[in-house]
Amino acid sequence: MTPTATFTAALEQATTRTEAFEALGRLVADTLGIKLVTVMTMDFTAGVARRAYTSHPVEYPVSGDKPIRRDGWFDQVHGRGQPFVANTIEDIAKVFPDADTIASLGCASVVNIPVRVQGQILGTLNMLDVAGYFDPATVARCEELLRLPATACFLLPA
């Protein structure tokens, strides 16, 4: 079975977002081999982004919350619905305060892909790997392969 067929079968059986996000994580691993994958959901009422999935539960537990900061990253990802890409740990550190933890996992590049439905941001699919990993062609491939599966996962009940 192809990775997409395996994901589709798992999604058909999923009864919660958690199960769907786990299937999404396997799809990312099977198609791209990414070192670290997380999914964040947005709670604008509480003013936090919540980690709903992680491929590294020790370093990035699912219970982790981050305050929503309205900055350039927010405007790009949430406002315009464009992926954010940083290909060095120095560029990651400009945006994310956990750059040391990211580096400790052997990661130095990131792409955050926004997941939107009806113009509203539901969350982000976040993938991290070695420095320089997310060149324009790889980002395009990530979006092509994963935007629709990620959106399907967010549509299941929490």
Side-chain angles (χ1 to χ4, degrees):
M1 214 187 292
T2 67
T4 301
T6 300
F7 168 78
T8 301
L11 188 62
E12 288 173 357
Q13 298 301 311
T15 58
T16 66
R17 267 195 212 163
T18 299
E19 292 171 351
F21 289 146
E22 288 169 357
L24 180 63
R26 286 190 301 276
L27 177 63
V28 172
D30 292 346
T31 57
L32 299 168
I34 300 293
K35 285 184 180 246
L36 171 62
V37 180
T38 67
V39 174
M40 300 295 285
T41 60
M42 303 300 135
D43 182 342
F44 288 101
T45 303
V48 297
R50 291 198 172 95
R51 194 170 299 107
Y53 170 79
T54 179
S55 62
H56 284 70
V58 172
E59 297 86 358
Y60 287 101
V62 169
S63 60
D65 288 352
K66 291 183 179 184
I68 294 174
R69 296 184 332 206
R70 303 207 181 239
D71 55 13
W73 180 93
F74 181 91
D75 292 341
Q76 179 175 335
V77 175
H78 294 261
R80 295 188 302 274
Q82 299 170 337
F84 170 82
V85 178
N87 271 307
T88 66
I89 198 64
E90 294 80 16
D91 287 341
I92 289 172
K94 292 175 187 175
V95 179
F96 301 114
D98 56 346
D100 289 341
T101 303
I102 290 168
S104 76
L105 296 171
C107 297
S109 65
V110 63
V111 62
N112 306 122
I113 297 177
V115 178
R116 297 164 58 111
V117 172
Q118 295 180 328
Q120 299 297 312
I121 185 88
L122 301 179
T124 58
L125 170 60
N126 314 300
M127 294 172 281
L128 297 94
D129 214 295
V130 298
Y133 186 87
F134 294 105
D135 59 52
T138 301
V139 172
R141 185 167 184 243
C142 289
E143 287 193 279
E144 181 182 330
L145 290 172
L146 301 169
R147 191 178 286 269
L148 183 58
T151 302
C153 291
F154 272 91
L155 295 176
L156 286 173

